[in-house]
Each structure stands twice: as C-alpha cells, then as structure tokens.
Amino acid sequence: MSIVLVFLAVVAAIAAWWLSQQRLMAKPWLEQGSTAAFPRTESGSMPAAKIGLGVFLAVVGCLFALFASAYFMRMGFPDWRALPVPPTLWLNTGILVLSSVALQCAVFAARNGQFDMVRLGLVTGGLTALAFLAGQLVVWRQLVAEGYFLSSNPANSFFYLITAMHGLHILGGLVALGRTTAIAWRPEQRDRLTLSVELCAIYWHFLLLVWLAIFAVLAGWAAGFIEICRQLLT
Amino acid sequence: MVDVTPDAASPVPPAEVAEVELYHPHSWWTKYVFSQDAKVIAIQYSATALGIGFVALVLSWLIRLQLGFPGTFDFITPEAYYQFITMHGMIMVIYLLTALFLGGFGNYLIPLMVGARDMVFPYVNMLSYWIYLLAVLVLVSSFFAPGGPTGAGWTLYPPQAIMTGTPGGQDWGIVLMLSSLILFVIGFTMGGLNYVVTVLQGRTRGMTLMRLPLTVWGIFTATVMALLAFPALFVACVMMLLDRVLGTSFFMPAIIEMGEQLQHGGGSPILFQHLFWFFGHPEVYIVALPAFGIVSDLISTHARKNIFGYRMMVWAIVVIGALSFVVWAHHMYVSGMHPYFGFFFATTTLIIAIPTAIKVYNWVLTLWRGDIHLTVPMLFALAFIVTFVNGGLTGLFLGNVVVDVPLSDTMFVVAHFHMVMGVAPIIVIFGAIYHWYPKITGRMLNEAMGQFHFWVTFLGAYLIFFPMHYLGLMGVPRRYNELGDMALLSESAHQLNAFISIMAFIVGFAQLVFLFNLIWSIRHGREAGGNPWRATTLEWQTPQTPPAHGNFGKELPVVYRWAYDYSVPGAKEDFIPQNEPPSAYAASRGAV
Ligand code: HEM
Ligand SMILES: [Cu+2]
C-alpha cells in the first residue's frame, strides 16, 4: 500500500499548504466586521468548475494509485508471470501524446480568439483519443491471439483491468470533449468556450500522465525503479 | 473586542465573483422529482436513507429473534441469519449513515450555512441522488434474487464471499451487492465534489474558513476523506467482481471445494483486507466527523454559550481526518502481520485518541456553567457524548494487539462498534433532525413524543449493548446464529440474550413513534417561526421558512462574525446572528 500512501502524502501536502494560507491561527471570537482586513481568505475567484476538476483528478489519481498498490502486492506471489510489452503500446502512447498536444493548441487558440483553430484542435484531440482507444483494443486482441487470456495469470488480469479502467476514463472525457466541441460551433456560447477547452485539456494531460505511469508499471520499469529506491533506503 | 472593519461606513468589500445564475425549474417534475435544488435533493437522500435504514432495523429484529430465542423461529435458518447480519451491517454503515450525513445533511446544510444559493454543480448533484437510489434498488433487489442476498458478512472477505458454501456466493447475492457498492461510490463521488467545492468556492462574503460553523467543518472534512477512501472500496469491489464473474484470481487462492479444484489459484485474500480496511477505517470517521460537528453546534446553541476552543475543534477535525488513513491495519491484527507493523498501527490508533479526547473535553467545557436548555436536540447531544466516550474507551482496549487477539470476533467487538459507530452517530442524526426539522418544514416536532423517543432509545440502547460487553468477555463469539450448549456459558448468558432481544424490540418500537412524529408534525406541529432556537448561523436567518429556491431572497447575506456569539455581554439578545454588522457600523448607519 506504499504507493497510495505516497499519493495521499502529496494530497495532504497540498491541503496543508492551502490550509496554511487560511489563517487557521485566527481567533474568530475576537474579530468582528468584514474580511477586508484579511485578504485571500474568502472564496477564491478561480472558476468553481476548475476546482471541481482538480478535486476529481485527486479522486482519479487515488483510484489508480490503489490499483498500482494492489498490483505490486499481488506481484510478490509466486504465480506471477509478467506479460511481454506489445510494441503497439508505444504507438498508442504517441497517439495519446498527440491528443494532449492538440488540446493544448486548442487552449492557446481559444485564449487568442482563433476559433477555427480551436475547432481544429478539439476535433484532432477527439479523433486521436478515439484512435488511442482503438489501439488499446488492438493490443488486447494481439495479447489474446498470443494466448494471454484475462484469467490465465494475475499479470494478465491486471493488464486488462487497468487498461480498461484508463480507457473508461478517456471515454468519459470524450463525452465532455464532445459537448465542448458542440459549443465551439455556437458563436453565442463563446464566453463559456475557453473554460471548457481548458478543463478538457487539463483532464487530458492528467490522463496522459496516468497512462505513462501505468505503462511504466505494466512494462515492469516501475518495479525496477522501486527496487532501486528500496536498496537506497536500506 | 477588536473591530477590524477598516472603514466602518463601507464594511462590505466589493464582490469579486459575479453571482452565478440559478437554475429555475419549469415543471412539477423538475421542481420536485428531478430537482436540482440541494434542499430537495437533501430530502430525497434522507427519505431514501431512512427508508432503507428501516429495512436494516427490521433485520436487526430478526437477528435478535434468533439470538434471544434460538430454535424457535424455523424461517431463520443459519443461511438466512448470515444474510440478515450482512445486509444489516452494510445498510446501516453505508446506505444509511454515510448517505444521510453527507447526502442528507450535507446537501441541506452546506449551502445554507455558508451562505450560497445552491451547490456549485446542481446537475451533477441531482445525478448523485439518482445513482444512489439506483444503488439502493440494486441492493434491495438482491433480497428477491435467486439464492437471496449475500451472507458474507459486511466485510465481504474472500475467498468465502464468493464460494458455494456462503449464501449468495455462487448466486446473484454477491454480484448484486458488489454492483450496488460500485454504483454507490460513483454516485457519492458526484455528490462529494459538490460538497467540497461549495465549501471552497461558494462561501458568501465574509465567511472565512474560521467563521464556518463546525457542522460544515465536519461534513467538509468527512467528504474529503470519503472521496479518497471510497476508491479503495471501488477497487476491491471491481476486482472481486472479476474474480467471481470472469474467474480471475486477484483475491482467490487455490481452493479445493467439495473435492473439486476451483479454477482460481495464487490470489491473496489479505490484499482484499488491506483494500477493504483502507476504506473501512476512514469510514468510521466519515460518519463520526459530521456527528462531531453537528453535536458541537447543538451543544453551543442549546447551552447558549460559545463553543469552547473553536480553533482546537477545527484542528482536531482535520488531524483526525488525516490520521485515520494510517491506522487501517488494526482491523487485521488477527490476519497475521509483521510485529513491527502491529506496533506501528497500534501506536497510530492510540494517537488518534488524543484529538478525539480534546474534542470531548471541549464539549464538556462548553457545557460548563452554560444556560443549558434540555430540549430534545440537546438531550440527544448529551447522550452522544456519553455514548461516544463509552465506545471510545473500549476502542482503546481493542487498539492494543494483545487485548484484541482474544477479544476479536466476540460480542465485545459488536458492543464496541455499535456504541461508537452505531448508536453514537444515530443519536446525533436524531438530535439533528429535531433541531433542523423546524427549518425544513416550518413546524416543530412534537415535544412529548420526542422525549419519549429519546429516553427509550437512549436507555434502551444501553440495555441492549452494555450486556454484550459481558457476553463478549465470557467468550460468546460474533456471527454465530446459535450458541448451543457451550460449556463456557452459564444459564444466565442465555437469559441475558433473551433480555437483549426484548429491549431491541422496545427500542425499535420507539423508532416507530419517531416516524409517526415526523409525518404527523408536518401538518399538526406547532408553528416554528424562522428561528425557534434563537441560533446564530445563517440557515436560521433566511427570509422564508422553509427556505425558498435560492435560499436568501434578493441579496446574499454578508457575514461579520463567527457562528458562536451566544450570551455576549452587553448585547441586546443572547445571540447575535452571523450576518449582524458590528456595532460601530450599525451606529454609523443610525447616525446618517
Ligand atoms: C436497533 C439497533 C441495533 C441492533 C439491535 C443491532 C444488532 C446487531 C447484532 C445482534 C449484530 C451482530 C450479531 C452477530 O455478529 O452475530 C449486529 C451486527 C452489525 N451491526 Fe447492528 N444493530 C443495531 C444497529 C446498528 C447500527 C445503527 C449500525 C451502524 C453502524 C449497525 C452496524 C452493524 C454492523 C456493521 C454489524 C456487523 C455485521 C457483520 O458481522 O457482518 N448496527 N447488529
Ligand atoms: Cu478502525
């Protein structure tokens, strides 16, 4: 469970930093009046949707940290036979990076008011994400064809489970992306567009990060890294 | 007092955030059924939770029928008994307590108490309720599925949870249970995002964190914890579902069942326990922290005194929330672990007692020389303190490895956790309902019925659960449907069991009175007025009672003080609402 504890430590550090700015040492029973005297303690001006997304990403991060924790615990048992890494995964990773880049371009374009570019970015991002999902399915087919079935080994089970979970999150993101793309074609909703595009991009970058971590775990590099850490500590 | 208003004539800084537009319902359906108003959602959540909670209450009667009068009731087979305790435990902990505190009270109180018009994501909030309802329906459907509900115990430990010998293990029961939990986690996450972000971003002007009522602090911290702990339950459920349905071996070791080798092999049941308790222990505090917060506010209001040590109360809530993530393995002492591990978890477990004890001292010091009004909510709040201390003390026993090992899986544990996370939070829920019912409906609950409900529930709960400690010390095991002729048991143990069962029925009857009171008072209760308890927090200052859509009329209130200005020397009344400007400002206004 050490991975999820590390993750929670990071979350706790962020929470502690934020709390430390909130005048937790104040003596509210001595202070009346408005809060003009203590700035930055009221609700911030950041859009609620952005904060909401941040909190949601913490939950998603926790979910995958738990999967990783379970993965490493289960790995220690003797029946574990690691999978080969299908080369297609590299291709998929590249596609997902492209997807993220496209959405980032859309963000810049939205901030500059270039709405054609926004549409292009959004559509590219969406299509590449779909391509990524298709690629993941291809990987599954390849593995099945080579006889790596879901339940024939725990390593396989984890591979399918974790990639499926990640894919589901991308799928959910695609729903939001679809709605944002629809907004991009409606000039009367332009004021909402920049925020929506930003939210999509943040979510995409996060899922890319999660994917890179998953890839490292599934391919076995993460285990080597953790082994080095362990040896350094002892 | 220091008056920190820089310029008394204009104490209100300009609004930084433009007011968001409120969603306005257009039809009866969107107003009362698919409503996006947090107050309606709160009532939907509460009604559903109380409804399913009632099922769990009936199940507890069936359990007690069997334990008190073994062999008398043919329909309670050993399998049925296991199904009853499993569903009873799971419903009580998750579908009743968690849903009621966070979905019910969270939805109703957070926007009102922080001075917001609604939750920040009303649509997601509505979805949250409907997914919760779906989870409840899936759970209920398992009663009617072939093979009945699962009988794996509320902890659902594999491998037994998905094997033939366990009721529902190879039938629908366990599948429906796991699916229902997965739905619950998804639905909760949607609601939880709302509660957290509304506290972060929805506070009205002047409402700094340190001016929040402790109720909001409790619900807020509990929600943050739940958002981080429920994923563990989600992961455990998904993996077990795969083990059961698709034959993977995440948790299932190689097993020979009735002479046949199962297809599983090599899995680790301990892995499940880690995941389950990584969720399970924080869950205790997810239901305890809102209770702590609510009790603080009830005590302060009904003793007409500011809460003692507000800052310490806030810090304690946060510290307890953080610490409760590093104690989970104290539920696994008997599963075998490295002795240093046991030592670590025993230490962290005992450390949590410190902030918890601070809270108890502060409650008692708040009461000290207060002007205590023994209203029904206050009675429940006082009963909570006693009960919680009681359950906490037995918790200190069980937190120690050497004491826990012999007591584990005895009735002592059942008595402990019912005191600390069964009776104590339920009592707070009752107190809170008596306290806020007038705001929700505009009428008071009937006082006489309330007193009856309180005394029977409080004394009765002690008569039920106190003797269980003795039974546990004697060695009566938990989760046994029948004790038979154990040599270690005297005749009096059986009599005690019968006595407990009779008490359980009497307490259950008192809950029916409560239910009747809830319904009866909607029409026949005494008119409450806007602020019957003369309380300071914002929800009592709304222009209409019950609060209308949008909560606060044309303009949002501005907050000038903390939530506990009771019996301030020199003040006109013995309470000053949070939105009352400081005297200097009022005076300057009067002069103009
Ligand atoms: C009317 C009040 C209640 C009565 C009479 C009652 C009675 C019981 C009994 C006799 C058992 C276990 C018997 C056994 O282990 O063989 C039990 C189990 C349990 N109860 Fe209650 N209970 C009540 C309320 C609650 C509440 C409010 C909660 C909320 C936390 C709760 C949570 C549980 C849990 C988690 C279990 C363990 C189930 C298991 O072993 O899997 N109970 N209850
Ligand atoms: Cu615990």
Side-chain angles (χ1 to χ4, degrees):
Chain A
M1 303 295 279
S2 45
I3 295 191
V4 67
L5 285 180
V6 170
F7 178 82
L8 284 186
V10 174
V11 173
I14 296 173
W17 167 80
W18 176 76
L19 278 174
S20 72
Q21 315 213 315
Q22 298 292 322
R23 300 183 70 255
L24 285 197
M25 306 298 282
K27 297 191 169 115
W29 52 94
L30 296 180
E31 297 166 345
Q32 293 176 28
S34 82
T35 49
F38 13 94
R40 284 205 292 137
T41 51
E42 299 198 41
S43 304
S45 52
M46 206 192 265
K50 229 176 216 179
I51 308 264
L53 180 63
V55 177
F56 180 62
L57 293 186
V59 177
V60 176
C62 190
L63 182 75
F64 282 103
L66 282 158
F67 273 122
S69 286
Y71 183 90
F72 284 114
M73 244 192 273
R74 184 69 180 79
M75 203 173 152
F77 288 83
D79 61 338
W80 185 275
R81 303 275 170 278
L83 284 175
V85 184
T88 325
L89 279 184
W90 288 103
L91 183 68
N92 293 350
T93 310
I95 296 177
L96 198 60
V97 172
L98 264 182
S99 192
S100 242
V101 170
L103 285 194
Q104 190 58 39
C105 291
V107 170
F108 290 138
R111 288 191 189 142
N112 296 333
Q114 302 159 307
F115 295 106
D116 292 343
M117 285 300 289
V118 176
R119 287 175 210 154
L120 182 67
L122 290 178
V123 172
T124 319
L127 289 181
T128 38
L130 279 176
F132 170 80
L133 289 181
Q136 296 291 79
L137 286 180
V138 171
V139 171
W140 281 12
R141 304 270 318 250
Q142 287 171 351
L143 285 175
V144 169
E146 286 169 45
Y148 296 98
F149 298 112
L150 170 74
S151 52
S152 47
N153 193 272
N156 311 358
S157 312
F158 268 107
F159 184 93
Y160 290 110
L161 173 61
I162 296 181
T163 47
M165 276 293 153
H166 180 259
L168 282 178
H169 280 83
I170 298 243
L171 216 57
L174 278 170
V175 174
L177 189 66
R179 299 180 59 152
T180 308
T181 316
I183 294 179
W185 257 274
R186 284 192 219 122
E188 72 277 6
Q189 292 188 335
R190 284 231 165 109
D191 46 336
R192 283 170 49 198
L193 183 62
T194 313
L195 179 61
S196 294
V197 177
E198 278 175 356
L199 294 179
C200 287
I202 295 173
Y203 187 67
W204 244 249
H205 300 335
F206 183 79
L207 282 191
L208 174 63
L209 222 88
V210 169
W211 168 248
L212 293 178
I214 292 175
F215 195 14
V217 167
L218 294 178
W221 307 312
F225 176 71
I226 286 179
E227 196 46 46
I228 295 172
C229 291
R230 194 167 288 155
Q231 277 172 2
L232 283 180
L233 282 177
T234 51
Chain B
M1 288 204 192
V2 199
D3 196 340
V4 292
T5 315
D7 169 10
S10 64
V12 185
E16 272 187 40
V17 192
E19 263 201 43
V20 281
E21 224 175 289
L22 206 58
Y23 171 83
H24 290 289
H26 303 292
S27 71
W28 185 86
W29 282 100
T30 45
K31 195 159 176 197
Y32 295 107
V33 182
F34 297 103
S35 171
Q36 302 191 17
D37 187 324
K39 295 185 292 298
V40 180
I41 298 174
I43 292 167
Q44 292 174 325
Y45 249 115
S46 309
T48 313
L50 288 175
I52 190 74
F54 195 75
V55 174
L57 179 70
V58 172
L59 288 171
S60 82
W61 293 344
L62 296 174
I63 301 172
R64 284 311 323 179
L65 272 185
Q66 169 64 22
L67 287 180
F69 314 99
T72 321
F73 300 93
D74 292 339
F75 71 96
I76 309 179
T77 56
E79 289 77 23
Y81 182 81
Y82 283 123
Q83 294 171 325
F84 294 163
I85 61 166
T86 305
M87 298 308 271
H88 161 81
M90 197 63 108
I91 293 176
M92 285 287 189
V93 174
I94 296 196
Y95 299 86
L96 172 69
L97 289 181
T98 311
L100 195 51
F101 269 127
L102 302 181
F105 288 108
N107 265 315
Y108 203 87
L109 294 177
I110 289 176
L112 279 165
M113 282 188 151
V114 305
R117 297 215 179 276
D118 205 331
M119 288 287 182
V120 286
F121 314 120
Y123 183 75
V124 181
N125 206 20
M126 174 184 79
L127 278 188
S128 159
Y129 169 71
W130 290 100
I131 297 182
Y132 165 65
L133 182 65
L134 184 63
V136 169
L137 291 179
V138 171
L139 185 81
V140 170
S141 73
S142 75
F143 281 103
F144 305 102
T150 170
W154 88 283
T155 46
L156 303 179
Y157 277 5
Q160 52 91 10
I162 55 179
M163 288 175 57
T164 325
T166 306
Q170 281 298 317
D171 297 308
W172 281 90
I174 189 73
V175 176
L176 290 172
M177 170 58 90
L178 295 171
S179 319
S180 169
L181 286 172
I182 289 173
L183 285 170
F184 182 90
V185 175
I186 295 174
F188 171 76
T189 305
M190 295 179 155
L193 288 177
N194 265 296
Y195 318 150
V196 170
V197 181
T198 304
V199 173
L200 292 180
Q201 293 300 98
R203 283 170 287 141
T204 185
R205 275 171 294 159
M207 183 61 93
T208 62
L209 280 193
M210 292 309 269
R211 281 176 174 173
L212 287 174
L214 286 169
T215 299
V216 177
W217 266 109
I219 296 178
F220 172 70
T221 315
T223 309
V224 173
M225 290 170 60
L227 284 174
L228 296 172
F230 272 120
L233 181 66
F234 183 89
V235 169
C237 286
V238 168
M239 283 163 54
M240 179 131 77
L241 203 58
L242 289 180
D243 274 5
R244 162 70 178 74
V245 178
L246 295 178
T248 55
S249 305
F250 292 113
F251 304 133
M252 294 296 285
I255 289 180
I256 293 177
E257 185 176 69
M258 299 192 235
E260 260 180 72
Q261 168 91 36
L262 296 188
Q263 57 169 337
H264 305 286
S268 160
I270 300 286
L271 173 55
F272 177 88
Q273 295 189 12
H274 276 296
L275 289 171
F276 183 86
W277 289 113
F278 188 83
F279 142 79
H281 186 82
E283 170 66 24
V284 177
Y285 287 92
I286 290 166
V287 302
L289 289 185
F292 288 175
I294 290 172
V295 155
S296 309
D297 284 356
L298 293 193
I299 286 179
S300 177
T301 308
H302 294 270
R304 316 307 297 165
K305 227 176 133 226
N306 62 9
I307 192 82
F308 186 90
Y310 174 83
R311 286 191 302 173
M312 260 197 269
M313 294 302 246
V314 170
W315 299 340
I317 287 180
V318 175
V319 169
I320 292 173
L323 277 181
S324 60
F325 277 96
V326 285
V327 299
W328 76 88
H330 64 207
H331 296 272
M332 299 166 58
Y333 289 152
V334 288
S335 304
M337 65 173 81
H338 193 281
Y340 285 127
F341 258 47
F343 179 72
F344 172 81
F345 284 108
T347 313
T348 50
T349 303
L350 299 185
I351 288 178
I352 286 204
I354 297 172
T356 314
I358 289 179
K359 298 197 74 82
V360 175
Y361 286 125
N362 285 354
W363 288 324
V364 175
L365 285 168
T366 305
L367 291 168
W368 175 251
R369 313 186 92 185
D371 172 13
I372 297 178
H373 295 42
L374 285 182
T375 55
V376 180
M378 184 60 154
L379 288 174
F380 276 110
L382 297 177
F384 166 81
I385 300 180
V386 180
T387 312
F388 188 77
V389 168
N390 192 313
L393 287 178
T394 47
L396 287 181
F397 284 58
L398 295 174
N400 287 290
V401 186
V402 281
V403 185
D404 182 54
V405 169
L407 285 179
S408 191
D409 278 325
T410 65
M411 277 313 215
F412 190 88
V413 174
V414 175
H416 155 70
F417 72 68
H418 274 91
M419 278 292 179
V420 81
M421 84 170 298
V423 178
I426 287 274
I427 279 184
V428 176
I429 285 178
F430 289 146
I433 291 178
Y434 282 95
H435 185 76
W436 277 292
Y437 187 87
K439 178 64 21 181
I440 299 170
T441 62
R443 291 180 188 266
M444 308 293 281
L445 281 165
N446 180 287
E447 169 88 12
M449 280 193 261
Q451 293 272 352
F452 173 81
H453 177 216
F454 169 76
W455 285 107
V456 176
T457 306
F458 175 58
L459 297 179
Y462 268 76
L463 293 175
I464 294 172
F465 293 111
F466 232 72
M468 283 192 199
H469 290 95
Y470 292 100
L471 291 177
L473 287 175
M474 249 185 236
V476 174
R478 155 187 191 198
R479 292 178 173 167
Y480 271 39
N481 71 315
E482 200 169 342
L483 297 173
D485 290 324
M486 287 187 189
L488 53 95
L489 290 181
S490 59
E491 179 53 31
S492 62
H494 296 290
Q495 284 161 2
L496 203 53
N497 251 330
F499 171 77
I500 295 176
S501 297
I502 293 166
M503 288 322 297
F505 275 96
I506 295 176
V507 170
F509 171 71
Q511 310 317 310
L512 296 181
V513 173
F514 171 63
L515 203 67
F516 174 74
N517 196 355
L518 280 184
I519 297 165
W520 185 81
S521 299
I522 294 181
R523 296 187 150 251
H524 306 283
R526 191 158 52 78
E527 290 273 354
N531 190 358
W533 310 115
R534 301 154 55 74
T536 56
T537 40
L538 290 181
E539 80 272 24
W540 300 104
Q541 324 302 334
T542 55
Q544 295 99 344
T545 298
H549 187 56
N551 293 350
F552 290 104
K554 263 213 171 58
E555 255 177 68
L556 285 176
V558 177
V559 170
Y560 296 96
R561 59 187 73 242
W562 72 331
Y564 300 98
D565 269 343
Y566 287 105
S567 307
V568 178
K572 269 201 313 291
E573 299 211 53
D574 73 344
F575 72 105
I576 313 179
Q578 282 192 280
N579 58 347
E580 176 123 337
S583 39
Y585 172 59
S588 79
R589 280 272 291 256
V592 173

